[in-house]
Structure formats: structure tokens, C-alpha cells
Amino acid sequence: MKKIYLLSAVACMFAFGANAQPVFGDGWIVENGETLTGTFTPAEAASPTLVTCVFTGESSNDQWKAQLITPSWKKIGKEGDSFKLSFDVMYEGSGANPRFRIASGKTFPWNADFQQGSGEFNTQIVDQDGNAVIYDSDFALTAGQWVSYSYDHFIGELGTDSIRLEIDYGCEPGTYSFKNVKLEVAGKVVAEYFKEAGVTPPTAVSEAAAIKAFVADGVLFASEAADVTVYNVNGVAVKSAKNVTSLNVADLKAGLYIAKFGNATVKFVK
């Protein structure tokens, strides 16, 4: 069984649906096994846009058990052009070795010959010597810290038609958040997603200046007044308020929730 979540490039929210089939087009999607649940959390107006994926599986070396899949970028450059995908990412959880990797040539249904590079297949992304980059190196994460990541390679023969990547993060249970996603080809920006308007890549100073939010005794609190929306695990908004510093959530049913409080994102369990 697979569950698929769909998020458009304009950051609209869709619920995860059991037995749903993925739609391959211009949007970002999550493909996952039975042990993965999660939501995409869009930003409210004038707030940073954030995508959040929650993995509840067991710790393992099987990154592919949880995948954040990019849009299919079509005819974005010629063979040999530089290809750079960069973004900010944060892991929240207790896993001992949180990390992710990027794989090229994502297909659905999955085609092992194509993605794994059997024979002449999958030269979408290549290194400086023209060798296919099927699986990039693991990138380690530190819990609770935003870090900037860059995937720097080149467009190969098959990449002149289309390129699609998967970000595999299924090694450790926890929450993986992404923002400020930028795609550059031959030194020019061709696409941006989940962009934090007017903010450079995060630093300790900028993160410290963000709104702080937490839940205690059935109440959601924030360090300053802001608009708040609470989403359930299916991505449905269940409660909201405008320009407040606290919100009573004691009346919510038992379960996992994600709250957007201004520029803060809070995950909590009732």
C-alpha cells in the first residue's frame, strides 16, 4: 500500500489519502510506505513558506522509505550545463543519525533499470566527468538546526528532456522541514519554491528573532501576537485566530497537529 501527498508550486494544502495514486506533473509530492504519515504546511500570507514531512517509521538505512519528490523540470538546459538545487532543511526528532540523500531519474511506476542506471539509462544528472549521478552522498543533519544544502552537478544527455529528483529521508523518524528551494541552471535561477521572502539563508541570529511558540496545558502560546492556524494530520485546518498570543487547543480530538503561528511552526500531540 502507498499513500501519496500532493502539493502544488503555489503551496496549496492537500490531505494525505490512503490508496491514492501519485500525479506526476509540475507539483511536489511525497511517496511513502505504510509507516509514513505527514502533512505539507503552507505559509499564511506574508509569512515564510514551509514544507514539512513527518516520518514515523523505524530507524534504518533505507532512505527510500520516505521520499519528497520534485516537479518534473522539462527542457531547462542543454547537455553540460551546470545544475544546482539548493534549499534550507531542518530535522526535528530523536534519531541518532538523521540524514537524507538525493536520487536522480524518479519515475512512477518505479523503473529500476532507469533510476539505477542500468546500461545507458538515467544520464539526467552527471558529474564533471560525464558519469551518471544516480545516488548522491548522504547529507547529515543536526536536530533542531536549519542548515543550507546544495546539490551541484551537470545536466546529462537525458536531462535535456526532463529532470526529476527524489529527496530520500526515511532513515530516522521525525519531522523534516524544507524552505528556500532554488533551482539554478547554467548560473541562472529557473525556479524557486517555498521561498522565505526577503530573507537570506538562515543564521543563528535570524532564527533567534523568529516568533517562538509552544503548547502547554492545552494552550498554544506565542512570543508575540500573530495569526494562527492549526492543521490536523490530514492537512485540514481545524482552528484559527487572528492577531493573538495564545489559542486554546484543549478541545481538539486526540492526535497529531501542526500549528502555524506567524513564522513559527509547532508540532504537538493531543
Side-chain angles (χ1 to χ4, degrees):
M1 177 189 296
K2 289 196 173 184
K3 302 175 185 176
I4 301 301
Y5 294 48
L6 174 65
L7 180 69
S8 75
V10 295
C12 294
M13 175 177 285
F14 293 79
F16 276 52
N19 300 315
Q21 295 299 309
V23 178
F24 271 53
D26 293 329
W28 292 75
I29 65 172
V30 164
E31 186 176 358
N32 54 272
E34 294 180 36
T35 56
L36 177 69
T37 60
T39 57
F40 280 125
T41 306
E44 302 300 324
S47 296
T49 306
L50 184 73
V51 56
T52 300
C53 306
V54 181
F55 177 53
T56 60
E58 299 293 328
S59 297
S60 74
N61 290 319
D62 299 329
Q63 291 99 322
W64 51 267
K65 285 187 175 179
Q67 305 170 8
L68 173 61
I69 303 170
T70 73
S72 180
W73 296 301
K74 298 177 175 62
K75 301 185 184 304
I76 56 174
K78 63 182 184 299
E79 187 174 358
D81 281 348
S82 61
F83 179 96
K84 178 179 180 180
L85 180 68
S86 58
F87 49 82
D88 303 322
V89 54
M90 179 171 66
Y91 168 76
E92 295 172 277
S94 58
N97 188 21
R99 61 198 188 277
F100 67 87
R101 71 177 180 194
I102 291 184
S104 65
K106 180 62 182 178
T107 63
F108 188 85
W110 183 63
N111 184 322
D113 283 343
F114 183 81
Q115 185 163 38
Q116 294 179 346
S118 173
E120 62 179 340
F121 296 102
N122 191 15
T123 56
Q124 287 189 344
I125 299 296
V126 299
D127 62 19
Q128 61 183 0
D129 297 320
N131 300 311
V133 179
I134 310 303
Y135 296 105
D136 205 30
S137 301
D138 281 12
F139 185 80
L141 298 170
T142 300
Q145 294 184 14
W146 282 104
V147 293
S148 295
Y149 169 79
S150 182
Y151 176 85
D152 290 283
H153 296 295
F154 299 88
I155 294 178
E157 180 182 3
L158 294 180
T160 60
D161 176 62
S162 66
I163 296 173
R164 191 160 200 151
L165 307 174
E166 68 180 47
I167 303 171
D168 296 336
Y169 60 94
C171 289
E172 296 287 3
T175 299
Y176 296 78
S177 300
F178 303 85
K179 64 181 179 181
N180 295 327
V181 182
K182 181 189 298 184
L183 175 61
E184 300 170 76
V185 174
K188 296 181 179 180
V189 177
V190 299
E192 291 183 286
Y193 308 90
F194 322 126
K195 185 179 179 182
E196 191 172 7
V199 178
T200 56
T203 64
V205 174
S206 63
E207 289 300 321
I211 292 176
K212 302 299 181 183
F214 62 95
V215 176
D217 298 325
V219 179
L220 177 63
F221 295 96
S223 58
E224 61 183 82
D227 295 345
V228 57
T229 303
V230 179
Y231 302 93
N232 66 17
V233 72
N234 293 318
V236 178
V238 295
K239 205 161 196 178
S240 64
K242 296 287 188 180
N243 196 33
V244 297
T245 57
S246 64
L247 180 68
N248 191 323
V249 293
D251 57 330
L252 296 177
K253 296 179 180 179
L256 173 67
Y257 294 88
I258 298 179
K260 282 289 296 179
F261 215 133
N263 59 13
T265 301
V266 181
K267 297 87 180 174
F268 63 96
V269 176
K270 274 288 279 84

